[in-house]
Amino acid sequence: MTSAIPGFFQGTEMPNSDWWEALWPNPAAVVSATGIKPGMDVIDLCCGDGWFTLPIARVARHVVAIDIDADLLEAARHRLVESGATNCDFVAGDAYELARLTPRPADFIFMANAFHGVPDRPRLARAVRAALGPGGRFAIVNWHQRPRETTMIQGEPRGPRTELRLSPEQTVAAAEAGGLRLANMVEVPPYHYGAVFEQTTA
């Protein structure tokens, strides 16, 4: 079971692909809304099965897909290989060790549907800051802090437990405690927001 992997963030298992694809019919639009642009070196942190990695790879110069679950990482690799993407590396590892897992600083780090489960969020923000190059940005796509029974997909409540969900203010406070600064906030309908951060000067 994925959640039994040491260091795995709680409430972030990959869901059934049926409703996941119904929730995210256009992952490329999410990637674009957060600010990923052509020519960037991007890290897809906690990439899962690569649902967002593929549209990132179609835009970015290069992508490093990172997940602690080797099986999910293999599913992501398979997705990208099948689609003909050749500009992505796949790395199994702990998100807290991010700077050690990547060969060079990133222009952009993308993290979807995982920040709510991170036990020490300022620590993760510090790890992200250390892995970003000058002017780099970090996007956190999170479920809004709404009761789980109100986030309905295909007729059923979906997403993490209500008590795990973070408000935008909680997400911003955690990232800023790790040395990042909010750059902008975007809505990601129907149930998510994207908080985009930049480095502060040392």
Side-chain angles (χ1 to χ4, degrees):
M1 187 175 172
T2 297
S3 57
I5 295 171
F8 191 87
F9 297 148
Q10 67 167 325
T12 62
E13 297 88 351
M14 279 302 302
N16 174 291
S17 62
D18 243 14
W19 74 259
W20 197 240
E21 293 175 19
L23 172 62
W24 304 111
N26 188 1
V30 178
V31 167
S32 175
T34 61
I36 294 176
K37 294 181 172 59
M40 285 182 165
D41 287 332
V42 180
I43 295 169
D44 186 5
L45 185 58
C46 305
C47 68
D49 69 359
W51 187 246
F52 290 101
T53 315
L54 179 57
I56 291 171
R58 286 174 170 160
V59 174
R61 189 192 75 81
H62 186 264
V63 188
V64 179
I66 297 175
D67 204 279
I68 202 167
D69 186 330
D71 290 340
L72 284 178
L73 204 62
E74 188 53 38
R77 185 196 308 274
H78 183 72
R79 183 189 299 278
L80 269 76
V81 167
E82 272 202 328
S83 299
T86 59
N87 60 334
C88 188
D89 294 328
F90 302 87
V91 179
D94 190 318
Y96 289 138
E97 305 299 321
L98 181 56
R100 288 198 310 101
L101 299 175
T102 54
R104 57 185 172 273
D107 300 312
F108 203 103
I109 297 174
F110 178 88
M111 185 182 200
N113 306 297
F115 197 69
H116 63 266
V118 178
D120 188 342
R121 298 181 191 108
R123 179 185 172 192
L124 181 67
R126 289 191 296 272
V128 164
R129 187 168 183 259
L132 285 170
R137 292 199 162 191
F138 175 40
I140 298 170
V141 177
N142 259 352
W143 290 83
H144 270 294
Q145 196 181 41
R146 297 174 185 164
R148 188 175 188 270
E149 61 269 20
T150 68
T151 54
M152 302 288 289
I153 303 152
Q154 295 184 334
E156 292 186 40
R158 305 287 190 176
R161 300 190 308 274
T162 301
E163 64 271 20
L164 284 178
R165 301 182 185 209
L166 301 172
S167 68
E169 293 78 14
Q170 288 171 314
T171 296
V172 170
E176 288 187 342
L180 298 170
R181 176 176 54 219
L182 182 67
N184 66 297
M185 189 80 67
V186 296
E187 278 299 309
V188 184
Y191 301 131
H192 288 68
Y193 60 91
V196 184
F197 299 89
E198 58 191 3
Q199 291 176 308
T200 55
T201 53

